[in-house]
Amino acid sequence: MSHIPGVRQAQKQKTRQALLDAALELLEGQSLSSLGLREVTRAAGVAPTAFYRHFRSIADLGVALVEEALGSLHPTIRTTVSTTGDGEERIARALELIAGHVDAYPAHVRFIARERHGGVRPVREAIHRQLGLFTAEVGEALAKDPVSAGWSEEDVLMLAQLYVDLMLGTASLLLEAPASEPGARERVSRMAARQMRLIGIGRTHWLDRPGGDR
Amino acid sequence: MSHIPGVRQAQKQKTRQALLDAALELLEGQSLSSLGLREVTRAAGVAPTAFYRHFRSIADLGVALVEEALGSLHPTIRTTVSTTGDGEERIARALELIAGHVDAYPAHVRFIARERHGGVRPVREAIHRQLGLFTAEVGEALAKDPVSAGWSEEDVLMLAQLYVDLMLGTASLLLEAPASEPGARERVSRMAARQMRLIGIGRTHWLDRPGGDR
DNA sequence: TGTACATCAGTGAACGCGCGTTCACTGATGTAC
DNA sequence: TGTACATCAGTGAACGCGCGTTCACTGATGTAC
């Protein structure tokens, strides 16, 4: 049995993390589909052959990056979306969360936005799986609101999807907002806030429309 | 002066188109950032060096693909979005347009969705420029609706952006809906229709909210 | 605690291969007279 | 219309280079007794 990590395991994890970090940094200027194994090991400071001790291929490393980038987000999402307060407060809090995350993990955000529709199938699929989990979680939180009384599960999910897509889109726009012009970020945030507001309004009146409970 | 095309020009255009077509096909399984010049010329049936008679680099070819994929869409967008009819009719028409376009030009749609956040800056920028034009056009059409009376220009644009993003997202989902399961496409369409409906409801009540005309 | 052996993360040389780019070229098309 | 010259899209050889993958290896860490 191997319970306590041990020096060997710890060193292995360190190398693995060095590979992930190096890859993520190299991905700021290219897509995963053009990332080279030697390029990664060179940046990580290990021999090319060491790569195979951790991943079977670059695609495999990409899937690990998806877990790293999105796996840890679940608790944050949950606490934020299930927070109390009226619509405006929630919108402000969600936008703060997004902006904070973009500042703290810009490379992760870029990676997800880029590879969501990227050229490496297993990575694309891993991202869609994780985003599907997020949508389900957001949907659960939304369902608990009084406004959601009488909503079908499908409708709750379509609303959750709208929010999740908007959040990811906003994160990506914030990332591209040039640091040279500080107004750019505020403009993106204001726009996103309005879109959330409009969706919120659509939400409160969803069941008003003719045949609304069908 | 060279007015009438001439045999030479016509042949040149043909080769250029062969390069674009070959590239687009090769891009179904990878990102532009990993597409090779020799790969493209081989698929197009010309010598590698012929490439330089048409493009300075793969990035340059990518920008040309953006024009090809999005440039021709403007008239279609315009006629569809400015069509008459009530909300439901418009939604159905928009979804038909999207589905039709995805069927007619799947590789173009995939290319735009993939490279919108892809690893090649000039291509990303070209796509954003074109999507900005679409947003402006959709905004103009929306502004003509009676519902838009009293709306600020900024609000009209944020609504247009919401629609444009939703359309592109839907197109991408339709593309990935497996042909093996025909219900998948319908499910995507129904979901998108609901989202459009909800946004439309938010739109009609936009000015109702407290301080709505601020 | 000490010793003898097993494990295995990381190494370094070697391989064949396809890459992007250069260069001088060819021969069909275009132009001037 | 015919001729002589210019243009230029596409060719094919050549280059140096970095790629992914294989293999036998080394030496520190782990394990059994």
Side-chain angles (χ1 to χ4, degrees), chain A residues 28-35 110 113-120 124 128 151-152 154-155 157-159 161-162 165-166 169 172-173 176 187 190-191 193-195 197-203 205-209, chain B residues 28-35 110 113-120 124 128 151-152 154-155 157-159 161-162 165-166 169 172-173 176 187 190-191 193-195 197-203 205-209:
Chain A
E28 288 200 18
Q30 63 184 314
S31 301
L32 186 71
S33 121
S34 65
L35 186 66
R110 175 174 290 119
R114 181 158 297 167
E115 300 304 330
R116 183 186 187 190
H117 300 101
V120 183
R124 235 163 40 219
H128 282 139
W151 281 51
S152 74
E154 208 179 353
D155 282 351
L157 279 179
M158 78 91 187
L159 180 64
Q161 203 189 84
L162 218 39
D165 281 348
L166 184 55
S172 168
L173 283 176
E176 282 170 57
R187 231 180 307 118
R190 289 210 315 152
M191 196 72 122
R194 283 171 199 231
Q195 293 177 328
R197 227 167 273 144
L198 187 137
I199 292 172
I201 293 171
R203 187 187 178 198
H205 293 90
W206 181 244
L207 295 179
D208 299 349
R209 87 214 129 89
Chain B
E28 288 201 19
Q30 63 184 312
S31 301
L32 187 70
S33 119
S34 65
L35 186 66
R110 174 175 291 119
R114 181 159 296 167
E115 301 304 331
R116 184 187 185 186
H117 300 101
V120 183
R124 238 165 37 223
H128 282 136
W151 281 52
S152 73
E154 207 178 355
D155 283 350
L157 279 179
M158 79 88 187
L159 180 64
Q161 201 188 85
L162 218 40
D165 281 348
L166 183 55
S172 169
L173 284 175
E176 282 171 57
R187 231 181 307 116
R190 288 210 316 152
M191 196 72 122
R194 282 171 199 233
Q195 292 177 330
R197 227 168 272 144
L198 187 136
I199 292 172
I201 293 170
R203 186 187 178 198
H205 293 89
W206 181 244
L207 295 178
D208 299 350
R209 85 213 132 89

